[in-house]
Amino acid sequence: MLAGVASHARPSERTFTLRQSAAVADELVASLSDLAPAVAGEKLPAESISQSYFRVREGELSDQQAALHGLLVIYRGLEDLCEAPLSGADLALEVAGMRQSVLDLTGAASGADRDVVPSATVPEPGAGVSLEDVWSARWLIGHQVHVLFNVCAAVAVADAVGRLRHGDSDAALVRLADATVYVRGFPAAMTHASTIPADYYMAAIRQTMAPPSVDVPLSGRQHRGYKLFRAAMKDLLAVVPDSYEHLAARAPELAEARGALLEADIIDGERHVTLAYSMVHLHRSIAQKPEGPDNAVAELRLMRHRRAAQYAPLIRFGDHYIADAVAGLRHS
């Protein structure tokens, strides 16, 4: 069903296919719940202010529980996507990440869903909910999809690293491709969360992520799922540190697979810059120190440049201008 979402069709057809997918996701959630009910996440301690705010928890889960909780995130995401004004391009990327999550979490083989028959009754969206409530919920739902993609990407990259260390390059290529699907979905999920009016975000949501609403300002550095992904990427580059030219000479498929993943990671950084600009313009980040010289956009742009400089020799079309500039700053 997710493979058949009409991301670039007319609004009515696009919404219908999303509702079909949400209905099937709901059925799968019910089937998994019959095996064992979901863990009451709110009863688990939060590891950070960010986890508490975004309703995210960490814990040891069985395969069944991991699949159930992942599908619950996907179901809520699909329900909201029926109404969210997301672009067709971002919708395609987010749905692709959701589909890969289903495959990874349930252990289903790609293509095994071709015989699924959609539910005869497709639920309509709830009535009587204010737009403000929809926007506030969307901010959390989109971030939860992003967290799911972060964790799944971290696992996929770690799997690829393990395969490479054991000489199983074919399996590593598959997992690198899976990870790339997730990383391409990172900015799509964040854009999904941000399909709310910037004025509403600034007036109603932003203040809930800073004191006195919370003890300390929320920051991306608090997202443990993203930290897991960054650690896995560091391990990957430790196992395959070769320049693009050297790696392409001995293992061209691996060079392309690694390059696709690194390019997606750069694009995620670039889109975070533009997304922040659309939401906060030139305001400072709520997590920045008052004495800092930059605003939120400048901080994110600097992060993008550092990532692009690190990856420049590792990808086919590296940003060598930025790499040279960063190297010059380090030696000045």
Side-chain angles (χ1 to χ4, degrees):
M1 296 305 299
L2 290 169
V5 168
S7 58
H8 290 74
R10 293 182 175 87
S12 58
E13 182 181 352
R14 160 179 155 149
T15 302
F16 180 72
T17 56
L18 281 167
R19 286 184 182 153
Q20 281 189 317
S21 297
V24 173
D26 190 29
E27 293 172 4
L28 184 51
V29 164
S31 296
L32 289 166
S33 298
D34 287 341
L35 299 175
V39 174
E42 295 293 330
K43 295 182 179 179
L44 299 177
E47 300 287 338
S48 67
I49 296 291
S50 177
Q51 284 191 356
S52 179
Y53 180 89
F54 288 109
R55 314 295 197 270
V56 174
R57 296 293 188 272
E58 288 185 41
E60 291 290 332
L61 297 176
S62 66
D63 290 347
Q64 177 268 341
Q65 282 288 296
L68 173 56
H69 283 273
L71 262 294
L72 282 167
V73 171
I74 291 170
Y75 168 69
R76 288 190 291 266
L78 287 169
E79 284 266 284
D80 188 65
L81 284 171
C82 291
E83 304 295 325
L86 196 63
S87 72
D90 276 330
L91 178 60
L93 293 174
E94 185 172 356
V95 169
M98 289 178 169
R99 181 178 182 274
Q100 189 60 50
S101 297
V102 175
L103 295 175
D104 283 349
L105 290 167
T106 63
S110 181
D113 56 348
R114 294 176 183 170
D115 296 329
V116 171
V117 178
S119 174
T121 59
V122 180
E124 294 293 328
V129 180
S130 71
L131 266 178
E132 289 78 7
D133 287 343
V134 170
W135 294 333
S136 294
R138 179 171 298 153
W139 182 248
L140 298 182
I141 289 168
H143 275 86
Q144 288 178 352
V145 173
H146 188 259
V147 170
L148 176 65
F149 288 177
N150 285 175
V151 175
C152 288
V155 171
V157 174
D159 283 350
V161 170
R163 301 288 186 177
L164 287 170
R165 284 176 172 151
H166 288 88
D168 190 352
S169 58
D170 289 342
L173 292 175
V174 172
R175 292 306 276 153
L176 287 174
D178 295 343
T180 302
V181 172
Y182 291 125
V183 178
R184 287 172 177 164
F186 287 0
M190 288 301 297
T191 303
H192 173 189
S194 303
T195 53
I196 59 178
D199 289 346
Y200 179 77
Y201 169 78
M202 292 295 292
I205 293 182
R206 197 168 192 253
Q207 63 188 11
T208 67
M209 299 187 291
S213 298
V214 292
D215 292 337
V216 296
L218 268 62
S219 165
R221 291 185 292 272
Q222 299 168 359
H223 294 310
R224 283 172 55 84
Y226 191 63
K227 287 182 180 179
L228 288 173
F229 169 69
R230 295 254 61 95
M233 292 292 283
K234 184 178 180 180
D235 288 345
L236 173 65
L237 298 186
V239 171
V240 194
D242 317 54
S243 69
Y244 175 81
E245 289 75 13
H246 289 163
L247 187 58
R250 68 175 178 83
E253 290 182 329
L254 180 57
E256 292 301 324
R258 186 190 65 176
L261 177 59
L262 298 183
E263 287 279 11
D265 198 23
I266 294 174
I267 294 298
D268 177 45
E270 291 175 351
R271 293 202 58 195
H272 205 163
V273 174
T274 57
L275 181 59
Y277 181 79
S278 71
M279 299 299 286
V280 304
H281 195 43
L282 297 180
H283 289 278
R284 299 174 63 80
S285 163
I286 58 176
Q288 284 179 275
K289 296 180 180 179
E291 64 271 18
D294 295 327
N295 63 1
V297 170
E299 287 277 346
L300 290 168
R301 187 179 290 127
L302 182 59
M303 291 168 61
R304 178 270 171 201
H305 290 337
R306 288 171 176 163
R307 191 176 302 169
Q310 178 189 5
Y311 293 168
L314 308 177
I315 58 180
R316 188 176 181 184
F317 302 108
D319 192 342
H320 296 287
Y321 292 104
I322 286 294
D324 291 344
V326 171
L329 288 172
R330 287 173 178 165
H331 291 94
S332 62

